[in-house]
Amino acid sequence: MSSRTLPENIPLFDGIAPRDVNAMLSCLGSFRRSVPKGTFLLLGEDEIRCVGVVLSGQVNMVKNDLAGNAVILAVVKPRELFGETFACGLRQAATVAFQAVCPSEVLFLPFTRVVNECSNSCAFHHRLIENMMRLIAEKNMRFIERAEITAQKTLREKILTYLSFQSEGRDGSYIVSPLGKREMAEYLCADRTALSRELSRMKAEGIIDFDKNTYRIL
């Protein structure tokens, strides 16, 4: 696999030269998949042996509640990882599903070969392990953020907390949400109609402004 075809600035490969990425991917036995919209890359109870890196598109981590409704637990955007939490656990079966919400391309890396340094003791492999641990820690922080969002008492508070987290680290006052209205409702554990109604009220009251997936807190 040629590293020249990979997107630039993938955090998992921070500090590793492109020529070393190419050698490393071959050593690890990595592989790529291009999938159409709606494809489930992993289903609940599947055994996860690989870590996925979204190269293009978007993958959502979803779970069905007791009523059979899909709930979005996390949104995985290009250059981000998925599956690493389950791959590194004692029980490698997934308790969630990962679904491509648009045509996507994913790079898979066998987890055990990532965390166990190869016989060549390559310096860049050690850096890969450090990057992996850092990204797992950052992912856990995002789960804490979602827990804070869904713990809010009202739907309005959930919306404002979600938008506040989305605005962190961005320049300017406009926030582009990676979630459409249906996906946002699932992420906030809310009814889609109730979400649309509350967003309209907040816009009418001058609290927020929005156009499709672009928001601004007023």
Side-chain angles (χ1 to χ4, degrees):
M1 177 184 301
S2 174
S3 61
R4 292 193 300 271
T5 62
L6 294 176
E8 295 181 355
N9 303 319
I10 295 178
L12 182 61
F13 305 141
D14 280 352
I16 305 175
R19 65 180 182 276
D20 292 331
V21 171
N22 184 41
M24 179 180 62
L25 292 178
S26 297
C27 178
L28 294 174
S30 62
F31 59 96
R32 297 169 75 157
R33 283 185 62 191
S34 296
V35 296
K37 176 181 178 180
T39 301
F40 281 94
L41 295 160
L42 291 165
L43 294 171
E45 300 304 322
D46 280 354
E47 186 173 357
I48 298 183
R49 297 181 178 276
C50 294
V51 174
V53 181
V54 178
L55 301 180
S56 64
Q58 179 178 310
V59 174
N60 286 354
M61 183 169 74
V62 299
K63 184 177 180 65
N64 288 337
D65 60 20
L66 295 177
N69 300 310
V71 177
I72 296 177
L73 301 179
V75 175
V76 188
K77 296 175 286 187
R79 300 177 176 83
E80 295 183 342
L81 303 181
F82 67 91
E84 73 287 351
T85 301
F86 302 98
C88 69
L90 295 176
R91 182 176 180 270
Q92 292 181 312
T95 57
V96 298
F98 293 93
Q99 183 180 28
V101 296
C102 59
S104 304
E105 186 173 15
V106 178
L107 172 68
F108 288 97
L109 300 91
F111 184 77
T112 55
R113 298 182 70 174
V114 169
V115 297
N116 294 294
E117 294 191 37
C118 62
S119 58
N120 295 326
S121 298
C122 305
F124 54 81
H125 196 157
H126 181 70
R127 182 58 184 266
L128 178 72
I129 296 172
E130 291 180 343
N131 291 342
M132 176 74 73
M133 297 303 103
R134 174 176 54 82
L135 293 172
I136 290 175
E138 291 174 358
K139 179 72 70 66
N140 288 338
M141 290 301 300
R142 288 203 291 272
F143 283 126
I144 293 173
E145 288 180 0
R146 184 175 186 275
E148 182 176 341
I149 292 168
T150 56
Q152 301 302 310
K153 294 182 178 179
T154 68
L155 179 55
R156 178 170 296 196
E157 290 171 341
K158 291 180 181 180
I159 293 169
L160 288 173
T161 305
Y162 168 76
L163 293 177
S164 295
F165 278 127
Q166 289 295 311
S167 66
E168 290 182 357
R170 294 178 181 270
D171 295 328
S173 58
Y174 290 93
I175 306 160
V176 179
S177 171
L179 304 176
K181 297 298 187 297
R182 179 185 63 80
E183 294 174 321
M184 185 185 294
E186 294 174 3
Y187 184 82
L188 299 178
C189 300
D191 177 76
R192 181 179 178 181
T193 301
L195 174 65
S196 296
R197 185 166 54 243
E198 187 61 32
L199 286 171
S200 297
R201 287 174 180 166
M202 294 170 70
K203 185 174 183 178
E205 294 173 21
I207 298 173
I208 63 171
D209 191 17
F210 64 89
D211 179 32
K212 296 181 180 179
N213 289 3
T214 302
Y215 297 83
R216 186 162 63 101
I217 300 176
L218 305 176

